[in-house]
Amino acid sequence: MKKAFIISSVILILLFLAAYFVKPGAEGMKIPLRPDSQQENTAALCRQIEEAEKKYNADCQELLSEFLPDLEKRTAPDFEKADRAVPGVVKELCSFKVCVKLCCKAVKDKIKGTHDFMDAYTAAMDAPIIRPCVHANLVASDMLQNLQLRLKERHARYLTDLATICSNDASDVKLPPKDLEKLQNCLETVAGTVQTTYLKKVMAGIGTAFEVVFIRESCGYIVKLFAKPVAKICASAGAAGICAAADGPLPLGDIAGALISIGGLSWTVWDIYDVMYVMPKKLNAELRNGIASTKAKLLEESRKQAEKIVQAYRESGCRINQELKEQLK
């Protein structure tokens, strides 16, 4: 009996201790509840996916931040070159002989519907002003292409990071092989889809043709300066002779005296002199303002295009993140 009593007492004491240790809120040593390892590993996996996306987004933003000042630095020499060329171009176009020639071409354009004035004006601007501006556009286009390439490489590395996270080699993550295989299949499918949806369309605007608009605008302004002599010539009987002069070389020697023999132009010599003295200041301002506005527009359009490309890549990363999380629910 005594032995049975002792055994019963020991059992009661053990039961009491067990109840004490698992009692919520009790002080002293406690036996911890067993965690849900599946849920814990899923949460850890989600955190790793989020960290990968956060790092990916930060790298994309850094590439954009580097692009903008570098773009301005690399295109500045071309626009500075064009701006330095303005005085020489203005001096050439405002010389008496060239003004006469332009007047003849403007008459021919009005009578025959040609574009000789614009062609001659553009030819004078081509090497010193137009080409540097167009080259700046090519520089910007190349930089956008390079930005896209660097983002593409970073996107590929992001996919590699996610593939590692969703594999059996991922540290601190132990999910069933079937679940990991499901994640990997999802990653492959979604990666292909988002590249088609987000990434291909962003390249549409890169490398588009660049038009130096201010050249055409300044040409239109100069045509207006010649309106008075052109109107006089077109109303005279010698317009045909002026059209012929527009296609050939002007007489050498005493240019003012020789002009008297070219149809109705003898009546408009002083009007051309007026154009010569009005045009330099106006043309200088038109060209310099045009170069500055072209530079500003190129930088702004390139900035928008760069932001569009980066945003597309970030949206791609976000979509992949969301799809993977959906698979983990």
Side-chain angles (χ1 to χ4, degrees):
M1 287 291 294
K2 187 175 181 180
K3 185 177 181 180
F5 175 75
I6 292 172
I7 293 173
S8 299
S9 298
V10 171
I11 292 173
L12 287 172
I13 291 171
L14 291 173
L15 290 172
F16 173 77
L17 289 173
Y20 172 78
F21 285 131
V22 298
K23 183 179 179 181
E27 296 181 357
M29 180 180 176
K30 299 178 178 62
I31 298 175
L33 294 171
R34 183 179 178 183
D36 185 341
S37 59
Q38 175 80 9
Q39 184 178 4
E40 207 171 71
N41 280 311
T42 299
L45 190 63
C46 285
R47 286 193 296 272
Q48 290 186 37
I49 292 172
E50 288 176 357
E51 284 300 317
E53 185 192 11
K54 188 182 297 183
K55 181 65 168 63
Y56 169 71
N57 286 336
D59 289 347
C60 289
Q61 187 61 39
E62 184 177 355
L63 288 173
L64 178 62
S65 299
E66 292 172 354
F67 173 83
L68 298 176
D70 193 33
L71 172 67
E72 185 166 6
K73 179 181 178 181
R74 292 180 60 184
T75 56
D78 287 313
F79 289 112
E80 290 170 1
K81 181 179 180 181
D83 189 73
R84 288 195 302 270
V86 168
V89 170
V90 170
K91 184 178 180 180
E92 177 187 349
L93 288 173
C94 295
S95 68
F96 182 68
K97 188 171 183 178
V98 172
C99 280
V100 171
K101 197 72 175 176
L102 288 175
C103 183
C104 293
K105 291 181 181 297
V107 170
K108 182 184 177 185
D109 289 347
K110 188 167 184 179
I111 293 174
K112 298 189 175 182
T114 55
H115 302 89
D116 286 12
F117 188 99
M118 181 64 181
D119 292 343
Y121 184 79
T122 302
M125 301 284 185
D126 185 52
I129 295 179
I130 297 177
R131 290 184 195 176
C133 292
V134 172
H135 184 264
N137 179 76
L138 294 175
V139 170
S141 178
D142 287 344
M143 290 183 66
L144 285 168
Q145 295 278 0
N146 185 58
L147 173 65
Q148 194 273 340
L149 179 60
R150 295 181 68 185
L151 286 166
K152 186 177 181 180
E153 292 171 348
R154 183 60 185 89
H155 189 266
R157 195 163 75 250
Y158 173 59
L159 294 178
T160 301
D161 292 342
L162 291 177
T164 301
I165 292 170
C166 298
S167 70
N168 288 315
D169 297 330
S171 59
D172 302 326
V173 177
K174 302 297 179 185
L175 292 180
K178 288 186 177 180
D179 290 348
L180 292 176
E181 184 179 354
K182 184 179 178 183
L183 281 177
Q184 291 163 5
N185 291 336
C186 172
L187 180 60
E188 291 177 7
T189 303
V190 175
T193 302
V194 298
Q195 285 185 5
T196 301
T197 305
Y198 293 106
L199 308 185
K200 288 186 178 180
K201 65 181 180 180
V202 302
M203 298 304 295
I206 298 179
T208 53
F210 181 74
E211 183 182 8
V212 187
V213 178
F214 73 91
I215 297 296
R216 187 176 67 249
E217 292 175 346
S218 59
C219 177
Y221 169 78
I222 300 304
V223 168
K224 291 179 182 178
L225 291 181
F226 282 100
K228 186 176 179 181
V230 167
K232 285 185 177 180
I233 294 170
C234 290
S236 71
I242 297 298
C243 290
D247 294 326
L250 290 175
L252 300 176
D254 183 1
I255 188 73
L259 285 174
I260 297 173
S261 64
I262 306 178
L265 191 56
S266 57
W267 300 97
T268 60
V269 169
W270 296 112
D271 292 323
I272 293 175
Y273 271 119
D274 288 341
V275 172
M276 286 173 55
Y277 289 104
V278 173
M279 190 163 62
K281 185 176 180 180
K282 295 289 186 179
L283 182 56
N284 185 78
E286 286 283 325
L287 293 177
R288 285 203 155 132
N289 290 338
I291 292 168
S293 63
T294 298
K295 176 182 177 181
K297 183 178 180 181
L298 177 62
L299 294 176
E300 178 64 14
E301 291 299 319
S302 298
R303 179 189 65 79
K304 289 180 180 178
Q305 187 67 27
E307 290 176 347
K308 180 182 175 183
I309 296 170
V310 170
Q311 183 60 27
Y313 274 91
R314 293 185 65 173
E315 288 175 359
S316 169
C318 180
R319 170 73 184 281
I320 293 171
N321 183 312
Q322 292 172 347
E323 289 293 333
L324 290 176
K325 286 182 178 179
E326 281 294 320
Q327 297 296 320
L328 288 169
K329 288 183 179 180

